[in-house]
Amino acid sequence: MTEERYAVIGQSVLRKGAREKVLGAAVFAADIDLGRPLVLLARRSDHSHALIRQIDVAAALAIDGVKGVFTARDIPGVNLLGIINKDQPLLADDKVRSRADAVALVVAESQAVAEQAAEAISIDYQPLPALFEPLEALAEGAPPIHKKGNLLLTRVVRRGDVDSAFAAAASLIEKEYETGFIEHNYLEPDAGIGHVDADGTLVIYASTQNPHYDHKEVVGLLDLPDEKVRIIQAATGGGFGSKLDLNVQGFIGLALHHLGHLGRPVRYIYSREEAYLATSKRHPFRIRMTTACDRSGRLTAMRVRAVCNTGAYGSYGIAVASRAAVHATGPYAIDNVDVEVQCVYTNATYCGAMRGFGAPQMALAHESQIDLHAEELHIDPLAMRTMNALQVGATSSTGQILTASIGYRQCLEAVAPYYRQACDHWLPAPTLPHRRRGVGLGGMWYGIGNTGVQNPSTARIEMAPDGSVTLFTGCADIGQGSTTVLSQIAAEILGLSPEAIRMVVADTKYTTSAGATSASRQTYISGNAVANATRNLANVLLTEAVNRLRAPKNSLLFSGGEIVVASKPEVRVAMATLARRIHDKGGTLSWQGFFDPETVPLDPQTGEGVPYATYAFACHLAEVEVDTLTGEVHVARVVAAHDVGRAINPASVVGQICGGVAMGVGFALMEEFEQGRTESMKDYHIPTAADMPEVVPIIIEAAEPSGPFGAKGVGEPALIPTAPAIVNAISAALNRRIYALPASLERVLAASIDAGHYRRKER
Amino acid sequence: MNRDCTYHRPSTLAEAVDYLATKGGETTIIAGGTDVMVDLRAGKLERRNLLDVSRLDELRGIRLEGEKLVVGAAVTLAEIHRSPLLANHAPALQKCARNFASAQIRNKATIGGNVGHCSPCGDTIPPLVIHQAEMVCTGSSGQRRLPITEVATGAYRCQIARDEIITAFVLEPVGADFADFQKIGRRQALAISRMSMAAMLNQDQEGRITMLRLALGACTPTPCRLRLVEEFLLGKKPQPALLMQAGELLAEQMIAITGRRSSIIYKEPAVQGLFRRILSPVACHD
Ligand SMILES: Cc1cc2nc3c(=O)[nH]c(=O)nc-3n(C[C@H](O)[C@H](O)[C@H](O)COP(=O)(O)OP(=O)(O)OC[C@H]3O[C@@H](n4cnc5c(N)ncnc54)[C@H](O)[C@@H]3O)c2cc1C
């Protein structure tokens, strides 16, 4: 790695918007005041699966204060949504496929009237058998939930000869793993507000992760020209993937389309209950994994048959199945691979993107398998991981040759001293008689960006004749800090402070698409687009400076708002002067940037391809104490080493790591969304501050040559290794393995009883 | 969903009682509101005329009165948690306040509301049971006292008449060497008890149990004192094998009350585990 010195890259500059959030001044969609708003409310389905014979809205329309009630028939454009495959109507057409489906939309003067009107809509259903289990849905003769049937996709990754490797194995282990529905549980429930502006444009402010996708969908639903819809991202209180789907945006658009003439803004704020009922969940997985290794512990082959439940609609299901298949091996070199992941429709609430897209579910399986082999072969779990770790030059299961920035071994090395300390000192230290301690490791790799498809980002930077700089990006900052990181990248190139860069963010009128804030892609992909735009601008400034300073380009530096001759710092010119001259000569000071990572689509038969241009790596160590009498688990500490390529803003990286660990503790121990039962946070448990272990974040920087200043991403990786590390620690503590998440009181106590700890000593 | 309500805050108990005498049928008493407001928001509160008793002097304070310990109905869980008097005379009650909900809820939630709500999971109930507490309430026809085990007629169903206000709880101060409260939740804070237990115990010089009171929370629809288990252990040394047996008896008793529901797969071993854990400090190993 070259030893370069940067002024703002690698600095924990203050997060843009942090001050406003701390002071309560940030303006979320629900806070936006556009005058007296009309209130929207969807009438959700009464059945999980039924044909709709008739919808009668007369009684609802007759209620005083009701301004309109709309059904599928009132949608002028295409009533189908979906970022990958379009299968989800905004308002149910001829059938409902889950309880989350909206059948009609009420527009009213108040929430109370809207609620009354929604109740008053009468819907004549013809119920159909509802299927909640993927295996039921795949069974011969199962009622089709969609016309094309219940199998959305099978993603295959095949390489080498698994059967021969199995036959020669010293250790062969086959197990089944299971994970459930998970609710994203972002702090801010979905919300949006819109109005029709003076030009007749529908302007919609929304809590969203992808304003440009929202724009496309609203335009399509309403059959409007592009410029007649404008989406502006409001301050967004988290998303974790759920705000990638259209939640309120389409409803607001539809209401404005029909009732814009009233001159009133319309708004839709989900209650927590509606956010639980109506928005996507994490895909539950059932994974059968068989792995083989030789006597030394080297992994030789893997077979996976996995089924994931996408519920009523595709949403991001195809991406989840694909990513799960590609990530099945974990960060390990395995020559013979045979992976099949099926993504199946059921009548459950639809499942979509959630932090990790199937990788967290797969990580539970591959990390458990590693520990099982290690135990069988009497190899230390850390040594087993190190021996099998991907390295530069390795070939992945899709046949991709990994050429750079493979920091998994460094992550393992960073965790090693903590691991040894935990094993040698913490583990044997005395604790209460009914408690047992365990130490566990979890590893992961994570491809940055979308899987084997184009997913470009764009950006534009403008310098005014007075030298002031504005950066335009479509990238939605949902609290993770992308706006700050992008400003740091531009500032570094121009030798400015990040505060000097004015940011115009996520407004479809002024910014071009940066793609989704998902797949941990914004620092890498939008960061590169910003760098590209900024370097274009920097280049014209340098050209002008060459004239002015009579020095070659490669001798010039950007520093403190000036361009300076590196060897003679007294020879300098203000950027404002250069900008003025370029402007006066008719030169351009507005530059567009573009970046699309180099990928090759996966072959549908073999999975061969280059799904991602780069990968992040991580290893977590968990120290847990298990109460053998009650099944309670206390996570004492998590050491989390992450290869992020380059930490552009280390404080933000640490923030992501700590937040990821919190979510991982929830995934491991307590989170479980039960269809038809879980209503809100009263019956869905996420960890509190009291449940948080001590977190030791460690940043590893195996620079990515194609990344902006070497950066990759960390948003999703932060969560992925935590649950496997905790499960491995519990399993070590009890000498009994947990195969299904969450490792709840019930499952842990059952394992403790099974292992004989519950009746230990006393008999 | 109708969430409209009216609100009254009387300044004396007499005023509150008068108010209930005429409007009791349509009124819900509110103290900290941590149960009432949840029901109101969910549209489940039928009587939406709210009478706030949280600031009535007559319902406040923790004090010793002769042989008895008196805890006002409007005393908050935060006050219970930091009361030295309770730490001395009712340590199990004081402990139950430590892991009760969260700091914010503890600042508002009252002991009267916890008992009045009659949730099977109310954390103050098992400690009140082992202190053989009586609930004091006042209504138009005067004051009456009711043993804590008789307050609830079923889950979320309270004996108190519509015109009555809970004013205080009268406890027998602890006269034992050992008292404790423990709970199992799905997380460390803000967790409704999956199971809770309060115990009070005395031993003679040989370690034989001379007094034992045991109460179980979140397992049975109404509060439950486990006399059979208490009697079984009385006069015996709590050796591990005996505690194991007593735990089995305890689980049998619990199942006799609740029947075998699906949750019993966990609760049957957990109740024994919790029992063995709570009594482990007094176990005899000779
Ligand atoms: C987030 C959260 C976490 C919680 N965690 C716990 C927990 O860990 N453990 C636990 O036990 N509970 C818990 N609860 C429930 C609740 O906080 C308790 O039951 C609390 O003690 C109720 O007291 P309150 O003063 O808020 O009651 P209120 O809500 O004011 O009233 C509750 C009921 O009692 C009646 N009532 C109140 N005072 C009187 C009186 N003086 N006379 C007659 N009737 C009266 C009311 O009419 C109502 O029916 C939790 C609640 C929430 C919202």
Side-chain angles (χ1 to χ4, degrees):
Chain A
M1 211 164 74
T2 52
E3 262 309 309
E4 283 191 75
R5 290 191 165 274
Y6 296 118
V8 278
I9 298 298
Q11 302 297 317
S12 294
V13 303
L14 184 65
R15 173 84 55 88
K16 285 192 192 284
R19 205 169 259 125
E20 290 84 337
K21 286 202 178 115
V22 171
L23 295 174
V27 181
F28 294 88
D31 304 323
I32 294 172
D33 184 0
L34 301 171
R36 251 173 4 106
L38 293 171
V39 169
L40 304 188
L41 185 65
R43 166 68 183 266
R44 305 276 167 189
S45 171
D46 304 277
H47 293 270
S48 293
H49 199 191
L51 296 176
I52 298 177
R53 290 211 201 93
Q54 210 190 326
I55 306 170
D56 185 353
V57 302
L61 274 173
I63 295 170
D64 198 27
V66 173
K67 297 292 181 182
V69 179
F70 304 108
T71 66
R73 275 189 227 166
D74 301 304
I75 295 173
V78 182
N79 181 21
L80 274 181
L81 307 172
I83 192 159
I84 301 175
N85 62 311
K86 294 218 178 303
D87 61 4
Q88 183 169 17
L90 178 74
L91 290 170
D93 206 342
D94 51 341
K95 83 186 279 195
V96 286
R97 298 179 181 84
S98 80
R99 292 263 180 174
D101 292 19
V103 180
L105 178 70
V106 173
V107 187
E109 284 287 353
S110 71
Q111 186 69 27
V113 173
E115 285 172 12
Q116 202 192 338
E119 291 272 303
I121 297 167
S122 116
I123 306 165
D124 183 11
Y125 297 99
Q126 180 187 325
L128 297 169
L131 308 165
F132 293 98
E133 286 297 323
L135 295 182
E136 274 178 353
L138 289 178
E140 194 84 30
I145 294 163
H146 289 270
K147 287 206 178 77
K148 284 183 292 184
N150 296 339
L151 179 63
L152 174 57
L153 171 97
T154 305
R155 175 61 74 192
V156 172
V157 176
R158 286 207 177 90
R159 199 170 159 253
D161 178 355
V162 169
D163 288 318
S164 310
F166 280 178
S171 166
L172 183 72
I173 289 171
E174 177 176 355
K175 295 289 177 193
E176 192 164 296
Y177 301 88
E178 215 182 315
T179 67
F181 294 97
I182 300 287
E183 159 62 27
H184 303 69
N185 224 83
Y186 30 77
L187 274 179
E188 180 213 13
D190 309 76
I193 184 164
H195 69 144
V196 181
D197 75 5
D199 313 332
T201 303
L202 312 191
V203 181
I204 301 170
Y205 298 84
S207 179
T208 177
Q209 295 181 242
N210 196 349
H212 286 84
Y213 165 70
D214 297 349
H215 178 266
K216 231 193 262 171
E217 292 288 49
V218 173
V219 160
L221 277 168
L222 303 179
D223 196 19
L224 289 174
D226 280 356
E227 65 280 8
K228 285 295 171 201
V229 175
R230 175 180 174 195
I231 307 281
I232 305 168
Q233 187 210 6
T236 298
F240 304 114
S242 184
K243 291 176 183 172
L244 292 166
D245 293 297
L246 237 62
N247 291 331
V248 298
Q249 299 86 326
F251 296 126
I252 292 171
L254 184 64
L256 289 176
H257 181 74
H258 288 289
L259 298 174
H261 60 272
L262 298 179
R264 301 270 300 273
V266 302
R267 81 173 190 198
Y268 200 165
I269 302 170
Y270 281 3
S271 62
R272 181 63 68 182
E273 288 81 356
E274 191 162 20
Y276 266 53
L277 173 70
T279 68
S280 73
K281 306 287 168 261
R282 184 190 286 288
H283 287 72
F285 267 69
R286 189 183 288 271
I287 304 165
R288 178 158 285 278
M289 185 176 274
T290 316
T291 45
C293 53
D294 65 18
R295 199 165 306 284
S296 72
R298 200 167 296 277
L299 289 161
T300 54
M302 164 180 279
R303 174 164 287 140
V304 174
R305 293 293 176 267
V307 180
C308 71
N309 183 350
T310 200
Y313 300 102
S315 177
Y316 274 81
I318 288 177
V320 167
S322 300
R323 191 178 278 275
V326 170
H327 285 75
T329 60
Y332 308 105
I334 307 179
D335 287 339
N336 305 289
V337 175
D338 168 17
V339 179
E340 256 182 56
V341 181
Q342 291 179 306
C343 188
V344 182
Y345 286 122
T346 65
N347 295 113
T349 309
Y350 71 100
C351 293
M354 184 173 184
R355 205 174 193 177
F357 286 98
Q361 294 94 317
M362 268 306 167
L364 170 71
H366 62 67
E367 290 307 288
S368 297
Q369 294 285 114
I370 295 258
D371 271 27
L372 284 163
H373 284 297
E375 195 187 327
E376 193 170 288
L377 297 170
H378 305 290
I379 298 174
D380 176 72
L382 180 62
M384 175 98 191
R385 285 174 172 80
T386 308
M387 176 191 329
N388 287 289
L390 286 172
Q391 295 184 77
V392 170
T395 305
S396 76
S397 60
T398 67
Q400 176 180 5
I401 298 168
L402 304 172
T403 55
S405 186
I406 312 298
Y408 188 46
R409 277 215 170 166
Q410 283 158 268
C411 292
L412 294 169
E413 280 162 19
V415 165
Y418 294 90
Y419 175 70
R420 268 176 229 116
Q421 220 257 333
C423 292
D424 296 347
H425 300 288
W426 184 78
L427 214 48
T431 179
L432 296 169
H434 54 269
R435 290 206 177 168
R436 294 179 68 90
R437 290 183 165 181
V439 171
L441 293 168
M444 76 103 226
W445 66 326
Y446 192 80
I448 302 298
N450 301 358
T451 308
V453 294
Q454 290 192 312
N455 63 129
S457 179
T458 63
R460 189 161 55 88
I461 195 158
E462 264 180 34
M463 186 174 269
D466 67 358
S468 62
V469 179
T470 307
L471 180 62
F472 298 83
T473 170
C475 170
D477 190 333
I478 57 171
Q480 87 284 24
S482 54
T483 303
T484 313
V485 160
L486 298 178
S487 77
Q488 282 179 268
I489 290 170
E492 182 69 44
I493 295 169
L494 293 176
L496 295 170
S497 81
E499 298 83 65
I501 312 249
R502 195 168 80 93
M503 300 293 292
V504 176
V505 179
D507 176 338
T508 61
K509 182 168 179 183
Y510 295 110
T511 66
T512 51
S513 178
T517 293
S518 72
S520 304
R521 61 186 286 286
Q522 292 294 22
T523 297
Y524 176 63
I525 301 179
S526 289
N528 267 331
V530 165
N532 178 228
T534 311
R535 290 198 173 107
N536 288 336
L537 171 64
N539 193 41
V540 296
L541 292 166
L542 286 173
T543 305
E544 191 61 31
V546 166
N547 272 334
R548 187 66 189 233
L549 301 178
R550 295 170 196 290
K553 262 189 199 175
N554 61 10
S555 72
L556 303 178
L557 286 179
F558 288 86
S559 170
E562 296 176 314
I563 293 182
V564 185
V565 177
S567 56
K568 281 185 277 176
E570 67 285 2
V571 182
R572 48 177 60 220
V573 56
M575 279 204 287
T577 311
L578 299 169
R580 169 65 61 193
R581 290 175 67 105
I582 296 168
H583 175 262
D584 290 351
K585 285 196 278 187
T588 174
L589 288 167
S590 169
W591 290 89
Q592 188 76 8
F594 178 87
F595 182 75
D596 193 10
E598 281 185 31
T599 61
V600 177
L602 300 178
D603 182 286
Q605 260 76 52
T606 64
E608 203 175 322
V610 179
Y612 314 99
T614 186
Y615 297 82
F617 296 87
C619 175
H620 287 192
L621 159 75
E623 301 171 9
V624 310
E625 262 193 26
V626 182
D627 190 313
T628 56
L629 296 178
T630 62
E632 290 161 289
V633 175
H634 169 65
V635 185
R637 179 158 85 154
V638 169
V639 180
H642 283 265
D643 167 24
V644 301
R646 160 93 60 195
I648 290 181
N649 188 316
S652 280
V653 172
V654 167
Q656 288 295 312
I657 293 174
C658 294
V661 168
M663 227 169 185
V665 168
F667 186 44
L669 299 181
M670 61 188 84
E671 294 191 38
E672 196 167 22
F673 181 94
E674 294 180 75
Q675 291 289 331
R677 292 180 65 182
T678 306
E679 287 177 358
S680 71
M681 279 196 256
K682 76 178 163 53
D683 38 30
Y684 187 86
H685 293 84
I686 60 168
T688 66
D691 298 282
M692 273 300 278
E694 177 197 348
V695 182
V696 182
I698 302 173
I699 297 175
I700 304 292
E701 297 183 311
E704 164 55 44
S706 71
F709 300 97
K712 300 190 282 194
V714 72
E716 292 158 294
L719 154 91
I720 298 169
T722 312
I726 291 172
V727 166
N728 281 338
I730 296 171
S731 303
L734 294 178
N735 279 320
R736 265 299 173 290
R737 186 150 286 277
I738 305 270
Y739 292 95
L741 293 184
S744 57
L745 294 170
E746 290 80 0
R747 290 193 172 115
V748 176
L749 182 55
S752 166
I753 293 170
D754 195 35
H757 304 302
Y758 180 79
R759 296 190 176 270
R760 190 178 45 101
K761 272 202 232 141
E762 284 93 339
R763 258 182 198 172
Chain B
M1 214 183 285
N2 197 340
R3 302 190 187 92
D4 296 341
C5 60
T6 54
Y7 173 84
H8 301 273
R9 183 155 60 80
S11 42
T12 64
L13 179 60
E15 202 186 305
V17 169
D18 281 351
Y19 184 90
L20 287 179
T22 55
K23 294 228 172 134
E26 64 222 61
T27 300
T28 296
I29 294 176
I30 183 168
T34 61
D35 285 317
V36 169
M37 296 308 288
V38 173
D39 287 346
L40 180 69
R41 181 173 178 281
K44 287 184 197 151
L45 196 70
E46 279 157 26
R47 290 169 282 136
R48 286 192 299 271
N49 193 22
L50 302 182
L51 184 76
D52 185 347
V53 298
S54 66
R55 287 185 246 180
L56 294 178
D57 286 339
E58 297 90 333
L59 271 61
R60 305 203 43 86
I62 302 168
R63 58 197 170 270
L64 274 173
E65 280 181 11
E67 298 283 88
K68 299 287 186 179
L69 185 61
V70 178
V71 181
V75 167
T76 65
L77 269 295
E79 287 165 339
I80 290 175
H81 182 47
R82 55 172 185 259
S83 161
L85 204 59
L86 290 181
N88 266 330
H89 297 285
L93 182 62
Q94 192 256 346
K95 271 189 192 165
C96 93
R98 185 174 53 196
N99 281 331
F100 192 105
S102 63
Q104 296 92 324
I105 298 280
R106 289 195 293 273
N107 285 338
K108 297 301 294 175
T110 65
I111 184 169
N114 198 238
V115 173
H117 193 49
C118 290
S119 156
C121 310
D123 282 340
T124 66
I125 315 280
L128 288 172
V129 169
I130 63 166
H131 282 276
Q132 317 212 88
E134 288 189 322
M135 182 184 81
V136 185
C137 49
T138 301
S140 343
S141 45
Q143 206 188 62
R144 64 172 177 136
R145 287 178 172 221
L146 208 63
I148 191 74
T149 46
E150 286 167 29
V151 174
T153 56
Y156 305 101
R157 297 185 33 202
C158 195
Q159 274 283 5
I160 311 166
R162 294 273 162 90
D163 68 342
E164 284 182 314
I165 296 172
I166 308 170
T167 56
F169 299 90
V170 179
L171 284 68
E172 281 180 13
V174 71
D177 308 328
F178 173 84
D180 197 7
F181 168 89
Q182 291 192 13
K183 101 182 206 185
I184 305 174
R186 292 207 180 273
R187 59 184 171 194
Q188 301 294 316
L190 276 170
I192 302 295
S193 286
R194 185 93 172 91
M195 179 175 289
S196 70
M197 198 178 283
M200 191 191 285
L201 172 146
N202 262 333
Q203 283 165 296
D204 66 14
Q205 304 215 302
E206 268 79 63
R208 281 186 296 262
I209 295 174
T210 55
M211 186 275 276
L212 173 64
R213 291 186 205 149
L214 195 65
L216 195 55
C219 290
T220 54
T222 56
C224 179
R225 169 113 180 248
L226 296 147
R227 295 199 191 259
L228 253 133
V229 181
E230 294 172 7
E231 283 158 21
F232 171 79
L233 284 170
L234 215 58
K236 298 180 185 144
K237 281 191 187 181
Q239 279 153 336
L242 186 77
L243 287 178
M244 186 96 89
Q245 253 182 298
E248 282 163 12
L249 185 63
L250 168 58
E252 272 170 34
Q253 278 217 286
M254 177 186 77
I255 295 166
I257 298 169
T258 61
R260 286 205 161 264
R261 295 189 229 161
S262 62
S263 62
I264 217 72
I265 297 169
Y266 175 72
K267 286 190 168 172
E268 183 176 3
V271 77
Q272 301 175 54
L274 187 60
F275 171 77
R276 282 155 52 196
R277 191 174 87 185
I278 203 170
L279 291 187
S280 64
V282 298
C284 298
H285 291 282
D286 51 283

